[in-house]
Amino acid sequence: MPRSPVKYNLGIRRLSTQQAFLEDYKKHHVPLSSLQRAVLTAGSAAISLANPYRGDMIACLGETTGRPALIHCLQRMQSNPEGQRILSQRPRINTSTVDFSSLKRLPHNTLGKTYYDFLKVNNVTPDSRPHVKFVDDIELAYVMQRYREVHDIFHAVLLMPTTMLGEVTVKWVEALQTRLPMCISGAIFGAIRLRPKQRQMYLNHTLPWALTIGQRSNFLLGIYFEERWEQPLDEFHKEMNIVPLVKNNQSLMR
C-alpha cells in the first residue's frame, strides 16, 4: 500500500471554503445554450491556434470542450484521500490564500521554496488565472479552477521554465494525465512553433521525458500541494515517481 503523505502546513491561509468558492462561481458563471457553446468553441479554437499567447481564448476553449476530461480528473481525485480533501475543502492558490513570505523563508530544495523561486525568476503571479465561467457543474468547475491554479506548481516541481519549450513539455505531462483537449492541442501545436535548437532538444530529450512522466508519475492534480510546502523536493519526486530531466533546477528556471 502507498504510504500516507506527510502533511506540510506552512504558508497556508485558510480563508477559502466551499461556500466561498460557490459564491465566487455564481458571480462569474455564464450559462450557454448549445449554439452559443458551439460558436465559442469554434471561435476560441481558431484564435488559439493563430495566437497561442491568447490565454483568454485558451481558457475559453478548455471550458467549452473539457467536460469528459474534467469528469476523468474528478474521478481520479476522488480515488485517493488527498484528492478527496481538495474536493471537500476547495482551496485556492493566490496571494490571498498562500503566505508567500513564509514560502520565501523556506530552505532551498523544498517544494514551497521551489515554487516561490519559480514565480520570481519567471515573473509570474498566481493571481493571473482567470475565473471559470462556462462550466455548468460546480464540481467540474472547481476541478478546472484547480488545474489553472496549480499549473505553475507543475512547472516548478517539474523544473520547467515558462519558455515555449518548457510550456510544451509541461503540456504533454498535463495532456496525458488530465486528457484536457486544450492541453493536447497545446502540446501538439505548440511544438510546431519551437525554434530549430529547441526542436532538437524537444525531440531528443524533453518529449520522451514528458511522455514517460505523464504516464508513470502520480496524478499531480490530486496532490494537495499546500500541505506539502516544507517537503523536500527530492522526497516529493521520489514519492510521485518523477525522475527530473536535470538535477540543477536553476539552469531550467532561468
Side-chain angles (χ1 to χ4, degrees):
M1 287 183 62
R3 68 181 181 84
S4 298
V6 179
K7 291 185 180 181
Y8 298 89
N9 294 308
L10 182 65
I12 300 177
R13 294 173 178 167
R14 298 190 181 276
L15 303 181
S16 186
T17 64
Q18 274 202 352
Q19 185 61 33
F21 177 76
L22 178 60
E23 292 174 359
D24 192 52
Y25 171 75
K26 288 180 177 179
K27 178 180 177 182
H28 295 97
H29 178 237
V30 179
L32 298 174
S33 67
S34 297
L35 177 59
Q36 288 172 323
R37 189 171 296 275
V39 171
L40 268 179
T41 298
S44 59
I47 296 173
S48 297
L49 288 176
N51 183 359
Y53 296 100
R54 282 292 302 271
D56 56 337
M57 291 294 98
I58 294 173
C60 178
L61 180 63
E63 293 180 31
T64 57
T65 64
R67 181 177 174 82
L70 291 173
I71 293 173
H72 161 75
C73 293
L74 176 65
Q75 291 172 342
R76 292 203 66 177
M77 293 174 75
Q78 291 171 332
S79 68
N80 71 84
E82 199 163 349
Q84 290 169 12
R85 287 200 305 278
I86 296 172
L87 295 171
S88 174
Q89 299 172 12
R90 293 179 183 163
R92 303 292 299 276
I93 296 179
N94 53 55
T95 54
S96 297
T97 61
V98 177
D99 185 355
F100 284 93
S101 62
S102 293
L103 300 191
K104 182 180 180 179
R105 294 192 296 270
L106 286 171
H108 290 287
N109 202 41
T110 55
L111 192 154
K113 178 64 170 174
T114 300
Y115 174 48
Y116 176 86
D117 288 344
F118 169 85
L119 295 176
K120 291 300 179 182
V121 168
N122 292 282
N123 194 29
V124 177
T125 171
D127 295 332
S128 63
R129 298 303 170 185
H131 296 282
V132 174
K133 297 180 180 179
F134 307 121
V135 179
D136 293 331
D137 182 279
I138 181 67
E139 283 194 294
L140 299 183
Y142 176 74
V143 172
M144 177 61 85
Q145 191 71 51
R146 180 69 177 179
Y147 159 73
R148 289 178 181 171
E149 294 179 3
V150 298
H151 173 73
D152 288 333
I153 300 181
F154 288 1
H155 269 275
V157 300
L158 294 173
L159 308 179
M160 286 291 146
T162 57
T163 60
M164 181 61 76
L165 179 59
E167 287 290 351
V168 170
T169 302
V170 173
K171 276 291 181 285
W172 271 117
V173 176
E174 294 176 339
L176 289 167
Q177 292 210 345
T178 68
R179 304 179 186 174
L180 284 164
M182 64 178 184
C183 295
I184 298 171
S185 61
I188 295 173
F189 293 106
I192 297 174
R193 297 176 175 271
L194 294 174
R195 298 190 298 271
K197 272 191 175 181
Q198 289 180 319
R199 189 173 296 114
Q200 183 178 359
M201 181 176 288
Y202 169 74
L203 293 173
N204 294 337
H205 301 288
T206 64
L207 177 60
W209 176 82
L211 296 178
T212 298
I213 296 302
Q215 295 176 75
R216 295 184 182 178
S217 66
N218 290 16
F219 186 60
L220 294 176
L221 191 56
I223 301 303
Y224 208 146
F225 293 102
E226 299 94 314
E227 296 181 341
R228 294 170 172 267
W229 294 137
E230 293 180 283
Q231 184 174 17
L233 191 60
D234 292 344
E235 178 186 304
F236 177 82
H237 284 158
K238 185 175 180 180
E239 183 183 343
M240 296 298 116
N241 199 26
I242 294 173
V243 178
L245 185 60
V246 297
K247 292 295 183 182
N248 183 1
N249 63 347
Q250 293 302 318
S251 67
L252 279 174
M253 292 295 189
R254 297 183 185 279

